[in-house]
């Protein structure tokens, strides 16, 4: 499976096996996580793997990102974690984003704040979704086409359209020309039930 297929077919997993991931695989995941590209290298981050004490959906592990709180730190964290989620998907490991899991420390030893966690493990359910039955808005719903785009632009649009979003609200909108995409985000009101 290539990266594009993983982006299109990845789904959040909510049923995990109890089985442990071998330590050498965990080390590989952590090494990759610490090497991924960042939007802003000046923002200090720390990524740790934590065994789950209270297992949400039965997930045996969390990959937790701690960050300095500087301008753009949340976007930086999301950029990093999305790369890791796709990497784990390609490895055959299921994932599910967790905003602020209560069983994980709020700060790391350097005083950086917990920003986001990714529950992960081997899955009891199908790792990949059926793209034909996925509940997603259509291209005309999220795009305004100023002219016919190139095939590469169509591929980008499709990967954005199929990408996961919180509560599947798909807040992105695009104005598209032949070789350019202007990306916008709609204002959404999401239910806030997660304790900080």
């Amino acid at each position: 499976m290539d990266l594009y297929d993983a982006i299109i077919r990845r789904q959040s997993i909510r049923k995990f096996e109890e089985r442990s991931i071998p330590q050498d695989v965990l080390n590989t995941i952590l090494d990759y996580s610490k090497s991924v590209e960042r939007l802003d290298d000046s923002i200090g981050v720390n990524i740790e793997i934590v065994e789950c004490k209270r297992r949400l959906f039965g997930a045996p592990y969390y990959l937790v990102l701690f960050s300095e709180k500087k301008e753009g730190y949340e976007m930086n964290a999301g950029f990093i974690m999305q790369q890791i989620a796709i990497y784990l998907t390609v490895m055959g490991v299921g994932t599910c984003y967790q905003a602020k899991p209560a069983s994980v420390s709020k700060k790391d030893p350097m005083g950086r704040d917990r920003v986001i966690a990714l529950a992960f493990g081997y899955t009891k359910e199908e790792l990949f979704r059926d793209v034909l039955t996925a509940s997603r808005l259509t291209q005309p719903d999220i795009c305004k086409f100023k002219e016919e785009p190139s095939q590469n632009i169509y591929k980008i649009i499709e990967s954005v359209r199929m990408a996961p979003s919180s509560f599947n609200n798909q807040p992105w909108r695009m104005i598209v020309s032949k070789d350019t995409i202007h990306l916008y985000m709609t204002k959404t009101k999401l239910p806030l039930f997660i304790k900080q």
Side-chain angles (χ1 to χ4, degrees):
M1 166 170 292
D2 66 17
L3 181 63
Y4 181 76
D5 287 334
I7 291 169
I8 296 293
R9 299 186 60 208
R10 180 200 168 271
Q11 68 177 347
S12 293
I13 300 300
R14 292 182 174 83
K15 291 181 184 173
F16 291 91
E17 293 181 3
E18 291 289 323
R19 132 175 106 109
S20 296
I21 294 176
Q23 188 59 51
D24 62 322
V25 176
L26 291 175
N27 291 342
T28 299
I29 292 167
L30 193 57
D31 288 344
Y32 175 80
S33 300
K34 293 185 176 192
S35 72
V36 298
E37 184 180 351
R38 283 133 168 75
L39 284 177
D40 187 339
D41 288 326
S42 75
I43 300 172
V45 298
N46 177 31
I47 298 171
E48 296 179 6
I49 292 177
V50 177
E51 285 198 49
C52 295
K53 293 173 187 163
R54 292 189 317 184
R55 295 188 169 194
L56 186 69
F57 312 126
Y61 307 97
Y62 285 123
L63 196 123
V64 186
L65 187 142
F66 299 90
S67 177
E68 292 181 294
K69 284 193 170 179
K70 290 183 174 179
E71 184 178 344
Y73 79 95
E74 291 170 317
M75 191 175 294
N76 191 54
F79 184 77
I80 292 166
M81 289 299 265
Q82 187 61 17
Q83 292 174 77
I84 296 167
I86 298 300
Y87 176 76
L88 290 171
T89 300
V90 171
M91 288 182 69
V93 175
T95 61
C96 186
Y97 282 102
Q98 304 301 307
K100 311 266 181 169
S103 62
V104 176
S105 174
K106 291 183 180 183
K107 296 209 179 259
D108 73 358
M110 299 287 293
R112 294 172 179 148
D113 293 296
R114 177 191 64 203
V115 179
I116 192 165
L118 193 64
F120 73 97
Y122 295 121
T123 176
K124 283 185 179 177
E125 58 189 3
E126 194 61 43
L127 181 61
F128 304 109
R129 66 177 164 214
D130 178 356
V131 294
L132 297 176
T133 60
S135 175
R136 289 291 186 267
L137 296 173
T138 65
Q139 281 188 6
D141 290 331
I142 63 172
C143 295
K144 179 177 181 179
F145 293 94
K146 296 236 174 202
E147 56 188 332
E148 185 69 22
S150 67
Q151 286 305 310
N152 285 340
I153 294 292
Y154 268 125
K155 282 187 83 169
I156 292 169
I157 291 168
E158 195 60 11
S159 64
V160 170
R161 189 179 78 82
M162 294 303 293
S165 60
S166 185
F167 298 97
N168 199 27
N169 66 349
Q170 293 181 266
W172 39 77
R173 299 296 179 265
M174 293 172 266
I175 297 176
V176 182
S177 4
K178 183 178 179 184
D179 292 311
T180 307
I181 298 173
H182 294 277
L183 186 62
Y184 301 89
M185 191 169 105
T186 62
K187 289 185 178 181
T188 59
K189 291 184 179 179
L190 297 176
L192 296 175
F193 57 84
I194 299 169
K195 272 191 171 181
Q196 298 291 330

